[in-house]
Amino acid sequence: DGDLEGDVIAPIEAPDGSNWGDTVTVSDFDGYVLGNPDAPLKLVEYASHTCGGCAAFAAQAKPGIKEYVATGVVSFEQRNLVRDPIDLTVAALVRCGAKENMQVLSDEAWGFLPQIFENVNRNQAQYEAAGAAPMEQRFVGIAQAAGLIDFFAARGLSADQQRACLTDTATIESIADRSAEQGKELNIQATPTFILNDRKLDT
């Protein structure tokens, strides 16, 4: 390992009484940044909540990345690349509570992904009716068909809180619009896509 010593960045202390592993800020791209916002190594993931590769990344790689985040040397930012109505519904729900919970809830929702698809297949008529409903009813209907209301209620977001977020059509539209703008601007067409210090990585 001796050859690498010149490349090692010393850990960066978090402000008194805090640690980087619990520090979350919202970026100018409306992504959720875990860790030191001024970290020398900034890793960004464009993710979809209905993407199997994103689910695998959350389960397999994220725990290791969080260890680096704790040193203050690496930050990990999650941004939405919205692919479908279920994805947009989950994106609205994981942002519904405290910003510190966004990535935690996302990782748990990815773990629940097979069940989400199973619920939607079983409740196909309800799901299709929700998709055709007016905007202010659409996402509550999708969440119910996908079994998301109960799932997130068990994780601290009350059904009333969820309904408030899912009927906030201005916020939901802004998530979708930012996703489309950033996807176009940065030429991101697939999920997950990773960017390290402004350089897109091949996956």
Side-chain angles (χ1 to χ4, degrees):
D1 281 350
D3 310 23
L4 294 173
E5 279 176 14
D7 296 326
V8 173
I9 303 170
I12 299 162
E13 287 291 316
D16 282 350
S18 68
N19 68 70
W20 292 128
D22 295 330
T23 302
V24 176
T25 48
V26 179
S27 77
D28 294 343
F29 286 82
D30 200 42
Y32 284 63
V33 181
L34 182 65
N36 177 3
D38 299 314
L41 296 174
K42 293 176 169 59
L43 181 62
V44 174
E45 177 191 16
Y46 274 92
S48 157
H49 289 287
T50 52
C51 149
C54 303
F57 173 79
Q60 295 157 20
K62 196 109 170 255
I65 288 172
K66 284 181 176 176
E67 289 177 25
Y68 288 107
V69 166
T71 67
V73 172
V74 177
S75 66
F76 178 78
E77 178 177 354
Q78 185 179 314
R79 298 178 189 165
N80 294 103
L81 192 74
V82 176
R83 303 196 315 175
D84 56 68
I86 300 170
D87 181 12
L88 185 53
T89 304
V90 178
L93 287 169
V94 297
R95 292 160 169 265
C96 194
K99 66 180 186 296
E100 288 74 18
N101 295 337
M102 187 270 195
Q103 288 201 30
V104 176
L105 289 174
S106 291
D107 293 347
E108 293 195 1
W110 274 309
F112 187 60
L113 190 56
Q115 189 66 48
I116 292 172
F117 289 143
E118 197 178 300
N119 291 341
V120 168
N121 285 336
R122 198 171 51 237
N123 302 318
Q124 194 65 41
Q126 186 186 359
Y127 176 72
E128 285 173 11
M135 272 284 278
E136 59 276 6
Q137 296 163 24
R138 182 175 309 162
F139 299 101
V140 173
I142 290 170
Q144 285 168 333
L148 293 169
I149 303 282
D150 289 345
F151 176 81
F152 283 103
R155 285 155 183 80
L157 280 179
S158 74
D160 286 348
Q161 196 178 357
Q162 293 181 61
R163 283 192 182 91
C165 290
L166 292 170
T167 53
D168 180 356
T169 52
T171 297
I172 292 174
E173 283 179 331
S174 73
I175 295 170
D177 290 348
R178 268 192 299 270
S179 161
E181 283 161 18
Q182 291 173 31
K184 196 171 169 187
E185 192 181 315
L186 301 171
N187 190 28
I188 293 166
Q189 291 149 357
T191 55
T193 293
F194 297 96
I195 298 170
L196 181 63
N197 289 7
D198 299 326
R199 190 171 63 84
K200 204 188 301 183
L201 304 178
D202 295 326
T203 47

